[in-house]
Each structure stands twice: as structure tokens, then as C-alpha cells.
Amino acid sequence: MMKKNQSLPVLSIKETADVLKLLGDKTRLSIVSLLSEKAFCVCELVEIYNMSQPAISQHLRKMRDLEIVKEQKKGQWVFYSLNKTCKYYGLINEILQFLSNGCEDMTILEEKRD
């Protein structure tokens, strides 16, 4: 049996399953990867994923409900970022270690801006 990492909070099976189910969607997992790099507004995510604003907002709402992402208002804009104080952050950070970074998606956005 593996020894648990003492620095990470212990999560119940239900909590872990909820996070894994949420991140089982490739769009949400990709968004979390991007948000681990920097904050984005919905309009930028709409461009990156070529999805409607309501669809992106729905993904963000589900992640916000579990406090995985946080929002910060700057004027009329709302920026989303990964909530590093969330009790699930340790699990999410471990998952992100197995992914390529979000640079691929950010490159798409930069190409669209040019």
C-alpha cells in the first residue's frame, strides 16, 4: 500500500470522485491547465476553444461550484484563475503534472489575435 503524502489533505472517495468526474471532461481539464498558468476572461476562453460563451460559462460554473476556480472582477471583465487555496488543489496539481502545459491552447489564441 502506498504511503499518503502528508502535505496533501485527505479527501473522501466521494470528493475525489467528484473532482475526477469534473476533470474527466477534456475541455474542463484543458481549462484548468490554462488557468494554472494565468487568469483568463470568458471571452478569451471562447476564442481558444471556439465554443459559445454560455458553454464556456457552464464549464466555469461547474468548476466554481467546487471552488476549483475563482473569479476576480476587473471593471466590466471577470477573470478566472485556478484556486490554489481550494482543498482539492493538491489533487488537481498532481493531475496537472501529467499534462503538457496549456501553451498549445495559448498559441492558438495568440495566432487568432494576429
Side-chain angles (χ1 to χ4, degrees), residues 17-102:
D18 288 344
V19 172
L20 293 175
K21 181 178 178 183
L22 188 76
L23 297 181
D25 179 273
K26 69 179 181 177
T27 301
R28 286 193 290 269
L29 183 59
S30 178
I31 290 172
V32 165
S33 178
L34 275 178
L35 296 180
S36 72
E37 302 288 326
K38 71 175 209 163
F40 285 87
C41 70
V42 172
C43 62
E44 292 173 310
L45 296 172
V46 165
E47 282 189 53
I48 291 169
Y49 294 101
N50 196 26
M51 296 175 75
S52 69
Q53 181 272 326
I56 293 292
S57 293
Q58 182 74 353
H59 285 300
L60 290 168
R61 182 196 59 78
K62 289 178 180 183
M63 292 186 285
R64 195 178 58 236
D65 286 350
L66 282 182
E67 300 179 359
I68 290 172
V69 299
K70 60 183 179 179
E71 58 185 27
Q72 180 181 9
K73 293 186 180 191
K74 293 183 182 177
Q76 64 179 342
W77 303 99
V78 178
F79 287 85
Y80 291 85
S81 60
L82 189 60
N83 182 2
K84 294 181 179 179
T85 62
C86 170
K87 68 178 175 179
Y88 308 119
Y89 179 72
L91 173 61
I92 293 166
N93 193 45
E94 288 292 317
I95 292 168
L96 292 175
Q97 300 304 311
F98 292 93
L99 301 177
S100 62
N101 63 18

